[in-house]
Amino acid sequence: MGKKLFILSLVITLAVSSTAQTVSVKPDNVYISQGEEYQRPIPLPFIRKTDIVWSTEIWKTINSEQLFNQFFYFPNDEFLNYGKKSLAYILWDAMAAGEIPIYEDDDLLIPLDNEEFVRRYTRADTILLEIGYDEDDNEIYQTIIRPKYFDGSEIFNYSLRETWFIGRQDTRQDSRRIALAPVKESYRELPNGEVIPLGNIPLFWVPMQNPLVRSLLARYPSYCNRSNNVQQPSWDWVFLNQHYDAYITRESDPQDRKIQDYLTGENAILESYYIEEKVFDIENEMWEY
């Protein structure tokens, strides 16, 4: 009898110990986290070039300042959100760790060395700081080194390259995300203190069809579902289902021009809408008899 009680006590102790080890470290959780690291990207059907009857390349801009796209920007402080990351931090951290490849161009032809890119981007700035005046009332300056870090809150836009096509077998229009780039507004500071804006410049391009990139995006929730914290689709789902509001900036053509190269203002906006409608109308026009 005593032996049975000992065995029963041991089993209960082990069960309690096992349960305690699976409780989430987040202090206000009421459920146990399952771990998004086990999620897998959604499989895509194999497509042969001979099965494509029409195709075009489209470039878009996703602006996170738009209300629908705000989940691209938040949360932008991973240290205050129990490890939750915005898309900018997800891409940067994976790139800095060498987990995903990056490229200089949207054609994905010029690869970048991850370590060298991080070293170049985070290189400290040397600035002159006014610290006071000497006895002759001359200004005194001190040269200081200002460390530079990646700040995801500075990323408001993303450039996206897509391929749109119609297949011979199912006669349906479909698309694939090809390349994605976080975009930062850049400036040049002159020796006299004047700041010259250089415009929005992509930091690096990520190959969206690469299995490493898709696996990365599948592991992280997007926080696009504002009404249910538990049901948060992955970033892989967001891009696969085009769950964002974006405007077209360029369509492939022999002259390789962006819309801003030949139109400005309201005309550029109308041209973006025209290209979007034209792409969607091609499917109906192609199969009319």
Side-chain angles (χ1 to χ4, degrees), residues 92 102-104 112 117 120-121 150-151 155 181-186 201-205:
W92 176 270
I102 57 173
Y103 292 81
E104 184 177 333
L112 294 173
F117 180 85
R120 186 173 70 246
Y121 184 89
F150 174 76
D151 186 358
I155 305 299
V183 177
K184 180 183 177 182
E185 191 170 2
S186 299
I201 299 177
L203 295 184
F204 52 81
W205 288 89

Side-chain angles (χ1 to χ4, degrees), residues 19 71 78 138 156 254:
T19 303
F71 66 94
E78 55 183 310
N138 296 318
F156 291 97

